[in-house]
Every structure is written in C-alpha cells, then in structure tokens.
Amino acid sequence: MTPEATSEAGPTVGTVGTAGTGGAQRVTRQRRAVSAALDDLDDFVSTQELHRLLHDRGESVSLATTYRILQSMADDGLVDVLRSGDNEAVYRRCAVEHHHHHLLCRNCGRAVEIEAPAVEQWAARIAAEHGFTDTAHTVEIHGLCPECSASARRS
C-alpha cells in the first residue's frame, strides 16, 4: 500500500450519511479538503482541475483519491456530475438539493441552475406513454453566457 492509500484509511473523524446507499462515509482529511474546495467553486470542475487546486492549496491528496472521493460524493447525491464537451466528467456542489438542470457556457464553463417544471411534466408524460417507471433524466443546455456573448460580439 502506498503512503497516500494508507492516509485515506487513516483515523475516522466522523461519518456522513449517504443519500445513495443509506450507509455512512468516513470523513477523512482528504474528504474534508475536497469538500471545502468544492464549496469555494461556482462552476463545474474536472477531477484534474480540482486535484491541481488542492495541490495549490497545499493539500496532500492523490489524483486517485480525488477521483474516488468525487465518485463517492456523486453516488451519494452530494455533487452533480455532467459530461463536458470532450466527455470528461465534471463536478459541482449545487446550491439546490433537489432535482434541477443547468445552463452551461461552452466558452467559460459558467453554470446556472434552473428549475424546469415543463421538462419534468414532459418527461413524466413520455415515460408513462411508453410504460416506463422509475425513470430519471438529465437536461443540460449549452450556449454562451451573457459575458461571453458580449465578448464575442466585440471581437
């Protein structure tokens, strides 16, 4: 085992209930560092970008551990996960804790959380028409945010 791997298995500071599994996750120094970094970000971030941010902050968290923590947080519903234009997973702690969607700027990465009751009704109706149950969906609207649109017009 590497030193990094053993530090992830270090003393438990506490536990956090998990939405996805009903179990509890160990709250390690690395998990707290990842969580704090996500709290400071407004937009979605890749695992590599988050790892770089953690390193810049002086946190000792391996890239593999960062991947594991983000996946665990996603499984537990603590972060939203989207696929970027190049199909890379990106993560964000969202302000709302219920089902929602995003407007995403394809230039700067800005994300805006949106409520979409018409989409929810449409998805439920389409699923019911086809006999589907226990359905889920994701809607991501990609475009240019107002700042990037203005910048593109000036160019």
Side-chain angles (χ1 to χ4, degrees):
M1 242 186 185
T2 67
E4 191 96 325
T6 57
S7 66
E8 175 66 10
T12 301
V13 174
T15 58
V16 172
T18 58
T21 62
Q25 291 292 322
R26 293 158 41 88
V27 181
T28 61
R29 175 189 56 77
Q30 293 92 339
R31 184 173 286 271
R32 284 193 312 275
V34 168
S35 185
L38 288 170
D39 287 342
D40 292 342
L41 298 172
D42 291 326
D43 295 324
F44 284 87
V45 64
S46 71
T47 306
Q48 291 85 0
E49 292 166 329
L50 183 61
H51 179 256
R52 192 170 23 261
L53 174 67
L54 290 166
H55 178 76
D56 291 348
R57 290 179 169 193
E59 297 288 349
S60 176
V61 183
S62 73
L63 182 58
T65 297
T66 305
Y67 271 107
R68 281 192 303 274
I69 291 169
L70 285 172
Q71 184 59 57
S72 171
M73 292 177 82
D75 291 345
D76 295 340
L78 301 174
V79 295
D80 278 353
V81 184
L82 302 177
R83 292 286 173 183
S84 65
D86 59 358
N87 206 30
E88 179 179 28
V90 290
Y91 303 85
R92 176 179 172 202
R93 182 169 337 258
C94 290
V96 297
E97 295 182 8
H98 59 279
H99 182 72
H100 60 279
H101 304 285
H102 299 95
L103 290 168
L104 302 165
C105 181
R106 65 177 166 257
N107 185 49
C108 71
R110 178 179 175 200
V112 176
E113 295 172 7
I114 57 171
E115 301 290 326
V119 170
E120 305 310 321
Q121 293 167 359
W122 173 82
R125 182 177 52 80
I126 293 298
E129 285 176 9
H130 295 276
F132 278 65
T133 62
D134 195 24
T135 59
H137 64 273
T138 302
V139 175
E140 302 159 17
I141 302 171
H142 298 264
L144 295 177
C145 70
E147 291 80 13
C148 290
S149 292
S151 178
R153 285 192 297 270
R154 287 191 297 267
S155 297

